[in-house]
Amino acid sequence: MQKPSLDRASEAGEAPQPLKEDVGATDPGPRNLGRDRQNPDVLAPPDTDSGEVPNLRFSFSDAHNRLEEGGWAREVTARELPVATTLAGVNMRLTPGGVREMHWHKEAEWAFMLDGRARITAVDQDGHDFIDDVGVGDLWYFPAGIPHAIQGLEEGCEFVLVFDDGNFSENSTFSLTDWFAHTPKDVLATNFGVSESAFSHIPSGERYIFQGEVPGPLPVSSPRGTAPESFSHRMLAQEPIRTGGGQVRITDSSNFPVSTTVAAALVEVEPGGMRELHWHPNDDEWQYFIEGKGRMTVFASEGTARTFDYRMGDVGYVPFAMGHYIQNTGEEPLRFLEMFRSDHFADVSLHQWMALTSCELVQEHLHVDREFMDTLRKEKRPVVE
Ligand code: MN
Ligand code: MN
């Protein structure tokens, strides 16, 4: 049965037009009305938009999906979203028992569990093993080159993976089955000290994702193995920074030490609220929208700015240092991840910058009155009402 949707009512109404008070004109078609309805600020941009800012949105719905027995995977990389050179993302589903096979890659892998549960395993270069069962809101991080595997538990799972290179491809990882298939059997026999017949049934190529048996419960005595640093983290167990319009949880190497190349913030904005005007002094921002609807304008200097609309399942991007805000434009909470190729999260608040600068100096720039200046807060409030 289909769930009743608030969107359905509001989006079935009159067709939006690329028309504002005294500019634009109606669109008699042909047109993709569904997309126009989802992107009102692209169809009729705010007057403050100007110039040529590159595309900063790509939806996983538009990404090629690789369907396998045991799950599926699709990716948004620099090939889909050319501006996104620092990070790449993969959206993956595993059935109960479904296995993303044992593999490694050149990039570090960060992940956020969206639905269900999975068992993750890894072994590091010093022979330390790691195993953990992760659920919704849990993270994992595997440093570059560290071999690992993921398997769906009883309820299956869906997660988003983020890699610290925009040109990563999930289809070019180093897989166990692929290597076996491309190694002479006599070499395998020598390596493992057994006869060649031990390998007469190995797969003829990479399996990538395949259906396995749901694994049994973890032994309580050693849920994590011997790895010196945990490869997983319970992000939702963190106490959020709460503000009037929502809340933020920040995870980077300060509270998840192994995650040295990816920093993240999980932002929740209430209806009518807004992620405040800010920028990041360390790197580009890669966003994944988990829930709700949002609108972002990116200020790119030189008199240029561009506005985009986002929904769950979309990827957004903000090039290094560009100013931006994100408004909740829906009737439900807006939840998204801000991700950075960095060992730490950092943002500069426009509000705080102005509050901590000489009142007279700010007034000389903006011609605002003293009353406004007195409302400025010295403490940062990442989400505002
Ligand atoms: Mn991987
Ligand atoms: Mn940001």
Side-chain angles (χ1 to χ4, degrees):
M1 223 176 71
Q2 218 161 17
K3 270 196 266 177
S5 158
L6 282 172
D7 295 353
R8 199 166 288 263
S10 59
E11 283 169 17
E14 219 175 298
Q17 297 296 347
L19 177 64
K20 295 191 143 188
E21 276 183 17
D22 46 9
V23 290
T26 58
D27 182 357
R31 64 188 296 195
N32 187 330
L33 197 49
R35 290 189 101 93
D36 284 348
R37 285 194 167 119
Q38 289 195 357
N39 300 295
D41 297 289
V42 175
L43 183 72
D47 296 340
T48 42
D49 276 16
S50 178
E52 292 177 13
V53 177
N55 179 44
L56 301 173
R57 184 195 56 213
F58 197 94
S59 178
F60 273 108
S61 296
D62 289 321
H64 166 75
N65 208 352
R66 179 172 177 180
L67 275 52
E68 302 282 346
E69 239 178 85
W72 50 256
R74 49 191 179 178
E75 62 186 15
V76 175
T77 72
R79 288 169 294 282
E80 286 77 22
L81 184 59
V83 72
T85 54
T86 59
L87 298 172
V90 170
N91 178 208
M92 189 178 291
R93 168 90 166 136
L94 296 173
T95 59
V99 177
R100 169 66 178 98
E101 78 159 278
M102 296 165 72
H103 70 282
W104 73 97
H105 30 76
K106 292 182 274 184
E107 305 78 8
E109 168 179 322
W110 183 100
F112 182 92
M113 185 60 80
L114 298 163
D115 187 75
R117 289 166 69 240
R119 177 161 303 168
I120 55 173
T121 58
V123 173
D124 76 7
Q125 65 272 29
D126 300 316
H128 298 120
D129 63 319
F130 177 83
I131 184 163
D132 193 20
D133 287 350
V134 289
V136 173
D138 290 345
L139 312 182
W140 68 80
Y141 180 94
F142 296 127
I146 295 298
H148 54 278
I150 309 160
Q151 184 169 25
L153 295 176
E154 297 82 1
E155 52 282 86
C157 61
E158 182 180 348
F159 45 90
V160 62
L161 300 166
V162 176
F163 299 87
D164 60 0
D165 182 348
N167 285 298
F168 169 85
S169 174
E170 178 64 11
N171 300 313
S172 56
T173 59
F174 299 91
S175 297
L176 179 67
T177 54
D178 199 12
W179 199 7
F180 264 66
H182 295 95
T183 303
K185 289 223 171 72
D186 64 303
V187 172
L188 291 174
T190 303
N191 188 66
F192 293 101
V194 295
S195 72
E196 284 185 38
S197 63
F199 309 107
S200 40
H201 303 295
I202 60 169
S204 58
E206 188 194 42
R207 299 193 76 186
Y208 184 60
I209 290 175
F210 61 90
Q211 187 59 54
E213 295 290 326
V214 175
L218 283 180
V220 181
S221 57
S222 60
R224 297 207 160 192
T226 56
E229 279 179 336
S230 179
F231 291 127
S232 63
H233 176 81
R234 316 279 181 235
M235 193 180 201
L236 290 186
Q238 281 179 228
E239 200 52 45
I241 304 160
R242 283 180 224 278
T243 66
Q247 57 185 33
V248 180
R249 288 178 174 85
I250 294 165
T251 305
D252 60 18
S253 64
S254 69
N255 52 358
F256 184 22
V258 76
S259 187
T260 52
T261 64
V262 178
L266 174 63
V267 182
E268 309 189 42
V269 184
E270 295 303 324
M274 186 176 95
R275 174 78 170 95
E276 69 163 351
L277 289 158
H278 69 281
W279 70 95
H280 303 275
N282 49 343
D283 211 341
D284 298 8
E285 171 174 341
W286 193 97
Q287 302 162 340
Y288 177 73
F289 289 83
I290 299 171
E291 189 183 7
K293 292 189 230 172
R295 169 173 113 137
M296 174 167 78
T297 302
V298 172
F299 163 59
S301 81
E302 299 181 78
T304 63
R306 188 169 170 191
T307 303
F308 296 88
D309 301 296
Y310 298 89
R311 328 195 134 204
M312 58 178 91
D314 288 351
V315 171
Y317 202 79
V318 185
F320 180 37
M322 291 187 183
H324 54 285
Y325 68 87
I326 302 176
Q327 265 178 327
N328 182 343
T329 51
E331 281 138 39
E332 284 158 24
L334 170 68
R335 295 174 77 224
F336 63 93
L337 288 163
E338 297 181 4
M339 318 274 316
F340 306 87
R341 186 172 64 188
S342 179
D343 63 349
H344 67 284
F345 176 89
D347 64 354
V348 180
S349 157
L350 172 68
H351 198 132
Q352 187 179 47
W353 176 40
M354 289 167 60
L356 295 173
T357 300
S358 141
C359 184
E360 292 72 27
L361 184 61
V362 174
Q363 282 184 296
E364 281 179 341
H365 284 77
L366 295 173
H367 308 138
V368 289
D369 60 24
R370 180 77 209 197
E371 214 169 284
F372 165 78
M373 292 306 298
D374 289 341
T375 66
L376 291 176
R377 293 181 306 268
K378 293 195 164 98
E379 80 286 357
K380 202 183 285 183
R381 209 173 285 179
V383 184
V384 293
E385 280 173 286

